[in-house]
Amino acid sequence: MFSSLPDILTVKDLQMALRIGKSTAYKLIQGGEIQHFCIGKSIRIYKQSVVAYLNRALYNNGNVSNSSVPTKEDNV
């Protein structure tokens, strides 16, 4: 799905990948929904973090929350 994206994304890359606006991208980052790291003042996001975010959204039937990713044990 995101094979054309680099492994490390900028906020602008995140916006394009998820087709969201700048403020929504920053809300996801600052709210801890998408893990990130900083290099100086620049925010960088691992592509894997975006995929994990989308997997949580799918697992929760579109209800993405700040909770941790459920494990198989949670389904017992």
Side-chain angles (χ1 to χ4, degrees), residues 39-51:
I39 299 176
K41 293 184 180 181
S42 299
I43 295 174
R44 295 294 182 258
I45 303 135
Y46 286 111
K47 178 170 55 174
Q48 182 179 3
S49 297
V50 178
V51 172

Side-chain angles (χ1 to χ4, degrees), residues 2-18:
F2 296 124
S3 59
S4 63
L5 290 175
D7 289 337
I8 298 176
L9 310 173
T10 64
V11 175
K12 190 166 204 137
D13 293 332
L14 176 65
Q15 288 177 249
M16 290 188 305
L18 297 181

